Structures are given as C-alpha cells and as structure tokens.
Amino acid sequence: MTVERYVVFDLGGVLIDWDPRYLYRKLLPSEEVEAFIRDVVPFDWNVQMDAGKPFAEAIAERIAAHPEDTSLLHAYFERWSEMLGGALEGTVEVLETLDAAGIPLYALTNWSAETFHHAETRFGFLSCFRDILVSGREGIKKPNPEIYRRLLKRNQLSAAEGVFIDDMLPNVQAAEAVGMSGIHFHNAAQLRLALDRVLVP
C-alpha cells in the first residue's frame, strides 16, 4: 500500500460543466425547458445510465411514457455532447497546480460508459489523472462504498492518505465512511483553501 498523500476528483460539477439545459434550450421554447427537464428527463433517470443502464433501454422506457417527446428523447443520446458546457477553469487550475507539485491525482465519476468518450476527447486535463474510475464502466455508482474501494484496491492506495472532492455531499460522506478525507466542493477558491488545510503535512 502506498503512503503518499493523493487527491481524488469528481468530474461533473467540479471540473466539467454538464447540464441538459444546454441542449434543450436549442430544441424547446425557453418557457418549456424546465418542465421538460423535471418531468421527462429528470436527474434520477439520468443516474440510471451512470450506473450502467444502456441509453437505448432507458430512452425506450421514457418514450413509452412520453411518446409525444420521442424525437426530444432520442436527442438525449444522439446530441449528448451538446450538454457539455466546458471546463470549470478555476478548478482546472487547482488540478494543474496539484499535478505540477507532484501530488498523485485520480478521478471517480458518475458517468455513463456510452458517453464518457466525449469528455476524453475534449478535455486534455484528464491526462493529469493516474486513473479514472467511471461508474458506468464499473456498473456501480457513488455513493455506494464499493466503488471507492475499487479505486483504492485497483491503485493500491491507503484510504487514510486520500482526499476526495465532490459537489454532492452524500458522495463526500461515503468517501469519509471508507476512511478518506472529504471536501464538499462549492467553488475553486473554497477548494484551494480546503486543500491547503488537508494537505499540510
């Protein structure tokens, strides 16, 4: 087991801006977008794909419930890359500072295996990570403690030496439950201060 301090980043909401509104604002009148997101493609539906459910199956189920939105639902996969808003530059700067300092970096993300290639081809900073665990590839997602243990086992890491960063509090709490230090992400400035505290020898 290594004893070197390391940092684990979540991706969406921490380093990468993702929001289905970016796509559906192009496809729907502005006054209809929020209701569509809430009722037709809600977040709790999206996380099924993060856990490994095929898009084809998930979309077919939603079409059965909302046949009037068939073309809009197909767009959820066919135009998925248009939901990516870009890198969160302040946090990327934090990441690159850690990388330059030689801190080992890892990522643990709830993301579909069918769409993660969009991020891999677009965001060069992902090369900073020694390993990226993608929930859709693992068939399990945060905050299930098993996915944290898989990251630790696969990379021969000690939980006690790890610092885990996520914008979702339950995911941070799950990391803490397996023995890692947790930082609930709000913004890049807050993250810098928190890392300064936890990485001090």
Side-chain angles (χ1 to χ4, degrees), residues 97-98 183 189-201:
T97 298
L98 294 172
I183 297 175
Q190 167 257 348
L191 177 60
R192 285 183 185 276
L193 291 173
L195 285 169
D196 285 344
R197 289 194 296 268
V198 299
L199 291 179
V200 170

Side-chain angles (χ1 to χ4, degrees), residues 13-122:
V14 175
L15 286 160
I16 297 171
D17 180 19
W18 174 86
D19 193 328
R21 291 171 181 82
Y22 295 137
L23 169 62
Y24 287 105
R25 284 170 184 159
K26 302 175 184 178
L27 302 177
L28 287 165
S30 58
E31 66 273 12
E32 296 179 15
V33 171
E34 291 305 316
F36 181 83
I37 299 294
R38 182 188 67 239
D39 300 332
V40 183
V41 291
F43 181 75
D44 61 355
W45 173 70
N46 181 78
V47 298
Q48 296 177 32
M49 284 79 85
D50 289 347
K53 188 170 189 174
F55 268 87
E57 179 182 342
I59 289 171
E61 290 174 358
R62 297 308 286 170
I63 288 173
H66 300 275
E68 70 282 3
D69 294 318
T70 294
S71 62
L72 292 169
L73 282 159
H74 281 305
Y76 197 91
F77 180 67
E78 294 167 358
R79 297 178 62 173
W80 188 93
S81 64
E82 295 175 57
M83 300 182 198
L84 289 174
L88 299 174
E89 296 296 345
T91 321
V92 173
E93 290 175 9
V94 175
L95 175 76
E96 292 174 341
T97 298
L98 294 172
D99 189 43
I103 303 293
L105 302 170
Y106 300 87
L108 177 53
T109 182
N110 282 353
W111 203 304
S112 168
E114 294 180 82
T115 57
F116 191 65
H117 66 279
H118 291 295
E120 291 176 306
T121 57
R122 181 167 172 181

Side-chain angles (χ1 to χ4, degrees), residues 116-182:
F116 191 65
H117 66 279
H118 291 295
E120 291 176 306
T121 57
R122 181 167 172 181
F123 301 111
F125 63 79
L126 294 179
S127 64
C128 293
F129 295 115
R130 299 187 180 192
D131 189 21
I132 302 175
L133 232 69
V134 179
S135 63
R137 294 173 179 171
E138 301 298 318
I140 191 170
K141 64 180 181 64
K142 299 174 291 185
N144 190 312
E146 177 58 26
I147 197 167
Y148 302 84
R149 296 190 187 107
R150 288 187 191 182
L151 177 72
L152 298 173
K153 183 176 181 180
R154 194 159 91 180
N155 294 284
Q156 298 185 310
L157 299 168
S158 165
E161 299 302 320
V163 180
F164 178 78
I165 302 159
D166 202 297
D167 62 322
M168 302 293 286
L169 183 57
N171 297 341
V172 175
Q173 293 169 331
E176 293 172 337
V178 300
M180 303 172 77
S181 298

